[in-house]
mmCIF file of all heavy atoms in Angstrom:
data_model
loop_
_atom_site.group_PDB
_atom_site.id
_atom_site.type_symbol
_atom_site.label_atom_id
_atom_site.label_comp_id
_atom_site.label_asym_id
_atom_site.label_seq_id
_atom_site.Cartn_x
_atom_site.Cartn_y
_atom_site.Cartn_z
ATOM 1 N N THR A 1 -5.214 -6.782 8.251
ATOM 2 C CA THR A 1 -5.544 -6.362 6.894
ATOM 3 C C THR A 1 -5.250 -4.875 6.721
ATOM 4 O O THR A 1 -5.561 -4.060 7.584
ATOM 5 C CB THR A 1 -7.032 -6.632 6.590
ATOM 6 O OG1 THR A 1 -7.246 -8.047 6.545
ATOM 7 C CG2 THR A 1 -7.442 -6.034 5.246
ATOM 8 N N ILE A 2 -4.633 -4.537 5.602
ATOM 9 C CA ILE A 2 -4.308 -3.153 5.285
ATOM 10 C C ILE A 2 -4.812 -2.836 3.891
ATOM 11 O O ILE A 2 -4.382 -3.458 2.911
ATOM 12 C CB ILE A 2 -2.785 -2.897 5.354
ATOM 13 C CG1 ILE A 2 -2.269 -3.142 6.773
ATOM 14 C CG2 ILE A 2 -2.447 -1.485 4.893
ATOM 15 C CD1 ILE A 2 -0.764 -3.037 6.914
ATOM 16 N N ASP A 3 -5.747 -1.899 3.787
ATOM 17 C CA ASP A 3 -6.227 -1.438 2.496
ATOM 18 C C ASP A 3 -5.568 -0.115 2.158
ATOM 19 O O ASP A 3 -4.968 0.541 3.005
ATOM 20 C CB ASP A 3 -7.749 -1.298 2.501
ATOM 21 C CG ASP A 3 -8.447 -2.652 2.441
ATOM 22 O OD1 ASP A 3 -7.943 -3.529 1.724
ATOM 23 O OD2 ASP A 3 -9.477 -2.830 3.106
ATOM 24 N N GLY A 4 -5.694 0.294 0.900
ATOM 25 C CA GLY A 4 -5.054 1.508 0.444
ATOM 26 C C GLY A 4 -5.793 2.752 0.888
ATOM 27 O O GLY A 4 -6.795 2.691 1.614
ATOM 28 N N PRO A 5 -5.312 3.928 0.467
ATOM 29 C CA PRO A 5 -5.990 5.188 0.791
ATOM 30 C C PRO A 5 -7.456 5.136 0.388
ATOM 31 O O PRO A 5 -7.811 4.640 -0.671
ATOM 32 C CB PRO A 5 -5.214 6.219 -0.039
ATOM 33 C CG PRO A 5 -3.867 5.610 -0.218
ATOM 34 C CD PRO A 5 -4.095 4.138 -0.330
ATOM 35 N N ALA A 6 -8.339 5.625 1.263
ATOM 36 C CA ALA A 6 -9.792 5.653 1.019
ATOM 37 C C ALA A 6 -10.372 4.258 0.829
ATOM 38 O O ALA A 6 -11.417 4.091 0.201
ATOM 39 C CB ALA A 6 -10.109 6.536 -0.187
ATOM 40 N N GLY A 7 -9.702 3.237 1.393
ATOM 41 C CA GLY A 7 -10.245 1.888 1.346
ATOM 42 C C GLY A 7 -10.065 1.176 0.029
ATOM 43 O O GLY A 7 -10.745 0.181 -0.243
ATOM 44 N N THR A 8 -9.187 1.658 -0.825
ATOM 45 C CA THR A 8 -8.972 1.038 -2.126
ATOM 46 C C THR A 8 -8.225 -0.281 -1.988
ATOM 47 O O THR A 8 -7.555 -0.539 -1.002
ATOM 48 C CB THR A 8 -8.158 1.973 -3.033
ATOM 49 O OG1 THR A 8 -6.942 2.326 -2.361
ATOM 50 C CG2 THR A 8 -8.933 3.236 -3.358
ATOM 51 N N GLY A 9 -8.352 -1.128 -3.027
ATOM 52 C CA GLY A 9 -7.581 -2.349 -3.068
ATOM 53 C C GLY A 9 -6.106 -2.021 -3.134
ATOM 54 O O GLY A 9 -5.705 -0.967 -3.648
ATOM 55 N N VAL A 10 -5.282 -2.919 -2.621
ATOM 56 C CA VAL A 10 -3.874 -2.582 -2.467
ATOM 57 C C VAL A 10 -3.013 -3.831 -2.569
ATOM 58 O O VAL A 10 -3.469 -4.951 -2.306
ATOM 59 C CB VAL A 10 -3.651 -1.890 -1.104
ATOM 60 C CG1 VAL A 10 -3.886 -2.860 0.037
ATOM 61 C CG2 VAL A 10 -2.260 -1.291 -1.003
ATOM 62 N N SER A 11 -1.761 -3.630 -2.972
ATOM 63 C CA SER A 11 -0.751 -4.671 -2.934
ATOM 64 C C SER A 11 0.445 -4.123 -2.182
ATOM 65 O O SER A 11 1.013 -3.097 -2.575
ATOM 66 C CB SER A 11 -0.344 -5.089 -4.351
ATOM 67 O OG SER A 11 0.673 -6.077 -4.315
ATOM 68 N N LEU A 12 0.837 -4.762 -1.087
ATOM 69 C CA LEU A 12 1.984 -4.324 -0.301
ATOM 70 C C LEU A 12 3.222 -5.061 -0.806
ATOM 71 O O LEU A 12 3.196 -6.264 -1.033
ATOM 72 C CB LEU A 12 1.766 -4.615 1.177
ATOM 73 C CG LEU A 12 0.486 -4.043 1.792
ATOM 74 C CD1 LEU A 12 0.420 -4.358 3.284
ATOM 75 C CD2 LEU A 12 0.386 -2.550 1.554
ATOM 76 N N THR A 13 4.327 -4.319 -0.960
ATOM 77 C CA THR A 13 5.510 -4.913 -1.568
ATOM 78 C C THR A 13 6.700 -5.065 -0.620
ATOM 79 O O THR A 13 7.528 -5.945 -0.821
ATOM 80 C CB THR A 13 5.957 -4.092 -2.790
ATOM 81 O OG1 THR A 13 6.174 -2.728 -2.391
ATOM 82 C CG2 THR A 13 4.887 -4.132 -3.879
ATOM 83 N N ASN A 14 6.811 -4.205 0.411
ATOM 84 C CA ASN A 14 7.941 -4.345 1.313
ATOM 85 C C ASN A 14 7.751 -3.458 2.534
ATOM 86 O O ASN A 14 6.800 -2.664 2.599
ATOM 87 C CB ASN A 14 9.265 -4.010 0.620
ATOM 88 C CG ASN A 14 10.378 -4.972 1.000
ATOM 89 O OD1 ASN A 14 10.522 -5.324 2.163
ATOM 90 N ND2 ASN A 14 11.168 -5.394 0.016
ATOM 91 N N LEU A 15 8.666 -3.573 3.499
ATOM 92 C CA LEU A 15 8.639 -2.746 4.707
ATOM 93 C C LEU A 15 10.034 -2.686 5.287
ATOM 94 O O LEU A 15 10.893 -3.518 4.976
ATOM 95 C CB LEU A 15 7.649 -3.284 5.734
ATOM 96 C CG LEU A 15 8.045 -4.514 6.579
ATOM 97 C CD1 LEU A 15 7.051 -4.675 7.731
ATOM 98 C CD2 LEU A 15 8.125 -5.791 5.766
ATOM 99 N N ASN A 16 10.261 -1.692 6.140
ATOM 100 C CA ASN A 16 11.566 -1.575 6.792
ATOM 101 C C ASN A 16 11.454 -1.905 8.273
ATOM 102 O O ASN A 16 10.384 -2.258 8.777
ATOM 103 C CB ASN A 16 12.177 -0.181 6.560
ATOM 104 C CG ASN A 16 11.334 0.950 7.144
ATOM 105 O OD1 ASN A 16 10.493 0.737 8.025
ATOM 106 N ND2 ASN A 16 11.560 2.160 6.666
ATOM 107 N N ASP A 17 12.569 -1.783 8.993
ATOM 108 C CA ASP A 17 12.584 -2.153 10.409
ATOM 109 C C ASP A 17 11.847 -1.141 11.283
ATOM 110 O O ASP A 17 11.584 -1.410 12.458
ATOM 111 C CB ASP A 17 14.020 -2.313 10.897
ATOM 112 C CG ASP A 17 14.722 -3.491 10.252
ATOM 113 O OD1 ASP A 17 14.030 -4.360 9.689
ATOM 114 O OD2 ASP A 17 15.976 -3.551 10.299
ATOM 115 N N ARG A 18 11.545 0.013 10.744
ATOM 116 C CA ARG A 18 10.768 1.023 11.472
ATOM 117 C C ARG A 18 9.272 0.804 11.314
ATOM 118 O O ARG A 18 8.469 1.549 11.874
ATOM 119 C CB ARG A 18 11.141 2.422 10.983
ATOM 120 C CG ARG A 18 12.595 2.803 11.244
ATOM 121 C CD ARG A 18 12.974 4.086 10.533
ATOM 122 N NE ARG A 18 12.099 5.191 10.918
ATOM 123 C CZ ARG A 18 12.064 6.363 10.290
ATOM 124 N NH1 ARG A 18 12.843 6.570 9.235
ATOM 125 N NH2 ARG A 18 11.272 7.322 10.702
ATOM 126 N N GLY A 19 8.889 -0.206 10.526
ATOM 127 C CA GLY A 19 7.476 -0.492 10.332
ATOM 128 C C GLY A 19 6.832 0.312 9.219
ATOM 129 O O GLY A 19 5.614 0.262 9.042
ATOM 130 N N GLN A 20 7.616 1.058 8.447
ATOM 131 C CA GLN A 20 7.077 1.783 7.298
ATOM 132 C C GLN A 20 6.854 0.798 6.155
ATOM 133 O O GLN A 20 7.735 0.007 5.821
ATOM 134 C CB GLN A 20 8.032 2.894 6.867
ATOM 135 C CG GLN A 20 8.207 3.982 7.913
ATOM 136 C CD GLN A 20 9.275 4.988 7.516
ATOM 137 O OE1 GLN A 20 10.382 4.616 7.155
ATOM 138 N NE2 GLN A 20 8.939 6.269 7.595
ATOM 139 N N ILE A 21 5.678 0.856 5.558
ATOM 140 C CA ILE A 21 5.257 -0.108 4.551
ATOM 141 C C ILE A 21 5.065 0.596 3.218
ATOM 142 O O ILE A 21 4.533 1.707 3.161
ATOM 143 C CB ILE A 21 3.939 -0.790 4.976
ATOM 144 C CG1 ILE A 21 4.139 -1.578 6.282
ATOM 145 C CG2 ILE A 21 3.411 -1.705 3.874
ATOM 146 C CD1 ILE A 21 2.849 -2.094 6.878
ATOM 147 N N ILE A 22 5.494 -0.053 2.146
ATOM 148 C CA ILE A 22 5.262 0.494 0.815
ATOM 149 C C ILE A 22 4.370 -0.444 0.011
ATOM 150 O O ILE A 22 4.283 -1.646 0.277
ATOM 151 C CB ILE A 22 6.581 0.727 0.044
ATOM 152 C CG1 ILE A 22 7.398 -0.576 -0.051
ATOM 153 C CG2 ILE A 22 7.385 1.828 0.697
ATOM 154 C CD1 ILE A 22 8.640 -0.440 -0.922
ATOM 155 N N GLY A 23 3.697 0.121 -0.984
ATOM 156 C CA GLY A 23 2.818 -0.670 -1.829
ATOM 157 C C GLY A 23 2.283 0.167 -2.976
ATOM 158 O O GLY A 23 2.738 1.277 -3.230
ATOM 159 N N LEU A 24 1.304 -0.376 -3.672
ATOM 160 C CA LEU A 24 0.683 0.333 -4.780
ATOM 161 C C LEU A 24 -0.822 0.134 -4.733
ATOM 162 O O LEU A 24 -1.321 -0.843 -4.170
ATOM 163 C CB LEU A 24 1.245 -0.130 -6.116
ATOM 164 C CG LEU A 24 1.058 -1.583 -6.547
ATOM 165 C CD1 LEU A 24 1.176 -1.704 -8.070
ATOM 166 C CD2 LEU A 24 2.123 -2.478 -5.912
ATOM 167 N N TYR A 25 -1.545 1.091 -5.326
ATOM 168 C CA TYR A 25 -3.008 1.054 -5.316
ATOM 169 C C TYR A 25 -3.522 1.766 -6.557
ATOM 170 O O TYR A 25 -2.781 2.465 -7.261
ATOM 171 C CB TYR A 25 -3.552 1.712 -4.044
ATOM 172 C CG TYR A 25 -3.508 3.224 -4.068
ATOM 173 C CD1 TYR A 25 -4.677 3.977 -4.194
ATOM 174 C CD2 TYR A 25 -2.299 3.921 -3.981
ATOM 175 C CE1 TYR A 25 -4.637 5.370 -4.218
ATOM 176 C CE2 TYR A 25 -2.255 5.296 -4.003
ATOM 177 C CZ TYR A 25 -3.428 6.019 -4.126
ATOM 178 O OH TYR A 25 -3.384 7.391 -4.164
ATOM 179 N N ALA A 26 -4.815 1.571 -6.848
ATOM 180 C CA ALA A 26 -5.465 2.210 -7.988
ATOM 181 C C ALA A 26 -6.274 3.397 -7.476
ATOM 182 O O ALA A 26 -7.371 3.211 -6.945
ATOM 183 C CB ALA A 26 -6.356 1.219 -8.724
ATOM 184 N N PRO A 27 -5.774 4.625 -7.607
ATOM 185 C CA PRO A 27 -6.464 5.784 -7.024
ATOM 186 C C PRO A 27 -7.838 6.068 -7.628
ATOM 187 O O PRO A 27 -8.711 6.610 -6.962
ATOM 188 C CB PRO A 27 -5.497 6.944 -7.298
ATOM 189 C CG PRO A 27 -4.665 6.494 -8.449
ATOM 190 C CD PRO A 27 -4.535 5.017 -8.301
ATOM 191 N N THR A 28 -8.046 5.683 -8.877
ATOM 192 C CA THR A 28 -9.335 5.933 -9.532
ATOM 193 C C THR A 28 -10.151 4.663 -9.704
ATOM 194 O O THR A 28 -11.241 4.701 -10.277
ATOM 195 C CB THR A 28 -9.111 6.576 -10.913
ATOM 196 O OG1 THR A 28 -8.410 5.635 -11.756
ATOM 197 C CG2 THR A 28 -8.293 7.846 -10.791
ATOM 198 N N GLY A 29 -9.624 3.539 -9.227
ATOM 199 C CA GLY A 29 -10.298 2.262 -9.432
ATOM 200 C C GLY A 29 -9.932 1.593 -10.738
ATOM 201 O O GLY A 29 -10.311 0.456 -10.993
ATOM 202 N N ASP A 30 -9.165 2.285 -11.591
ATOM 203 C CA ASP A 30 -8.712 1.743 -12.866
ATOM 204 C C ASP A 30 -7.456 0.912 -12.633
ATOM 205 O O ASP A 30 -6.415 1.456 -12.250
ATOM 206 C CB ASP A 30 -8.415 2.883 -13.836
ATOM 207 C CG ASP A 30 -7.941 2.388 -15.199
ATOM 208 O OD1 ASP A 30 -7.828 1.158 -15.386
ATOM 209 O OD2 ASP A 30 -7.681 3.238 -16.071
ATOM 210 N N PRO A 31 -7.505 -0.419 -12.849
ATOM 211 C CA PRO A 31 -6.343 -1.269 -12.558
ATOM 212 C C PRO A 31 -5.151 -1.014 -13.462
ATOM 213 O O PRO A 31 -4.056 -1.521 -13.203
ATOM 214 C CB PRO A 31 -6.895 -2.694 -12.750
ATOM 215 C CG PRO A 31 -8.039 -2.533 -13.693
ATOM 216 C CD PRO A 31 -8.642 -1.198 -13.364
#
């Protein structure tokens, strides 16, 4: 399981062969 910065909810969208992962999150809790 991977949560966003500061434990926020997150959606992961892709990754590369180096294991770097990208995604999006709600920094203020506002969806």
Side-chain angles (χ1 to χ4, degrees):
T1 292
I2 298 175
D3 285 322
T8 55
V10 67
S11 178
L12 305 182
T13 56
N14 221 317
L15 77 168
N16 62 20
D17 293 343
R18 297 170 57 192
Q20 295 174 310
I21 298 171
I22 56 174
L24 62 158
Y25 77 108
T28 64
D30 180 359

